[in-house]
Amino acid sequence: MPDERRAIHAYLTAESHDTWHRVAEESGVSLSGLLEALAADMSSNPPDGGGHPRWNEVVKDARRIDAQRRRRSRT
C-alpha cells in the first residue's frame, strides 16, 4: 500500500511558529515527525488526553485562542 500523506495547514503567531521549529531543531527531528508522534500518542489514549498531564489546560487555551481569532475575523 502506498504511503498516504496529507498536509496540515495552520496559521500561527510568529512566536508559536518559531517555537515549533526551534523545539524540533533542538530535538534533532522534523516538525512533521513531532506532529506524527503526537498524533500516534493521542490516538492511543482516551479523548480526555490520556497520559498528557496538561491536556485539559491545553484544550482550554486552544478554545480561548480560537475564540479570539473568530472575534477578530468578524470585525
Side-chain angles (χ1 to χ4, degrees), residues 28-56:
V29 297
S30 67
L31 179 51
S32 297
L34 281 176
L35 293 173
E36 288 280 347
L38 287 170
D41 189 48
M42 287 186 292
S43 67
S44 66
N45 286 312
D48 66 354
H52 297 281
R54 292 187 58 242
W55 183 254
N56 291 333

Side-chain angles (χ1 to χ4, degrees), residues 5 8-10 12 16 19-20 22 26-27 30-31 38 40-41 51 53 56 58 62 66 70 72-73:
R5 299 187 304 165
I8 286 183
H9 182 81
L12 305 174
S16 293
T19 297
W20 270 109
R22 179 183 50 77
E26 289 173 357
S27 301
S30 67
L31 179 51
L38 287 170
D41 189 48
N56 291 333
V58 169
D66 285 345
R70 280 192 300 274
R72 280 188 294 222
S73 69

Side-chain angles (χ1 to χ4, degrees), residues 47-49 52-65:
D48 66 354
H52 297 281
R54 292 187 58 242
W55 183 254
N56 291 333
E57 184 179 343
V58 169
V59 169
K60 183 179 175 181
D61 289 345
R63 288 178 178 150
R64 179 185 48 78
I65 290 166

Side-chain angles (χ1 to χ4, degrees), residues 2-17:
D3 184 26
E4 291 187 32
R5 299 187 304 165
R6 295 184 183 166
I8 286 183
H9 182 81
Y11 287 100
L12 305 174
T13 63
E15 180 182 357
S16 293
H17 176 273

